[in-house]
Amino acid sequence: MRFRTVASAVLVAAGAVVPCMAVGQAQAQEPWCGASWLGLTVEPVGQSSGSQRTASIVLTNLSRESCVLQGFPGVDLAAVGDNGRAALPRTNEQGQPVLLPPGGQAKSTLTYATGTDTPTEIIVTPPDSTTQLHAVWPTALGSIMVWPEGATHPGTYIGPLRG
């Protein structure tokens, strides 16, 4: 069961104000954002500390109606790791529902350690979906260190979606 309350927020993207709604306790009737409703972009954010950097995984509602997302996107990197594809671990943070009006965005923070691997593509599976969205790995993000699966303190990981 998904609980939803609409509380207004504002998101500024490329100089334009696009509303984004935080969703909480009461129920709303907005549909879940299907992968076919979403666009994917990857944006550099900055250097956190030393060799650790951050980027935003941005899901934009391309449909003509509002929809809801909650949780973590599945994030894989192509052309890296032992198998040529690496699935990124998630943080322990809790994701909150996010209401996306048409054009609204939800962002997930990708924290990564710089390294020797340069992905060719980032593959994102929105929450509660099996359909994947693809984007070219931005050259501005540089190289990445992919930690072995099951590493106790990976330097590369993904956070929950936020409005």
Side-chain angles (χ1 to χ4, degrees):
M1 175 183 269
R2 294 185 183 107
F3 296 95
R4 303 175 187 134
T5 305
V6 178
S8 174
V10 174
L11 177 68
V12 177
V17 176
V18 179
C20 170
M21 307 286 183
V23 180
Q25 299 168 0
Q27 289 186 323
Q29 300 303 316
E30 289 79 12
W32 197 252
C33 299
S36 64
W37 292 23
L38 300 170
L40 168 65
T41 55
V42 182
E43 303 171 349
V45 174
Q47 188 166 343
S48 300
S49 64
S51 65
Q52 200 155 42
R53 298 182 181 192
T54 56
S56 288
I57 307 298
V58 183
L59 297 176
T60 302
N61 180 2
L62 303 176
S63 77
R64 292 185 178 165
E65 59 183 287
S66 295
C67 62
V68 176
L69 281 174
Q70 179 179 357
F72 291 81
V75 178
D76 292 356
L77 302 176
V80 297
D82 295 335
N83 300 322
R85 186 166 171 161
L88 301 185
R90 298 171 176 175
T91 66
N92 291 331
E93 297 175 71
Q94 294 294 314
Q96 300 297 317
V98 179
L99 176 64
L100 299 179
Q105 297 180 327
K107 294 183 179 187
S108 177
T109 299
L110 165 62
T111 302
Y112 65 100
T114 58
T116 57
D117 289 320
T118 303
T120 56
E121 183 178 39
I122 188 162
I123 303 146
V124 174
T125 307
D128 290 343
S129 180
T130 57
T131 303
Q132 298 176 325
L133 304 171
H134 299 259
V136 173
W137 180 259
T139 56
L141 297 182
S143 61
I144 192 168
M145 179 184 292
V146 178
W147 292 58
E149 283 191 43
T152 56
H153 298 290
T156 301
Y157 50 88
I158 193 77
L161 289 164
R162 306 262 187 235

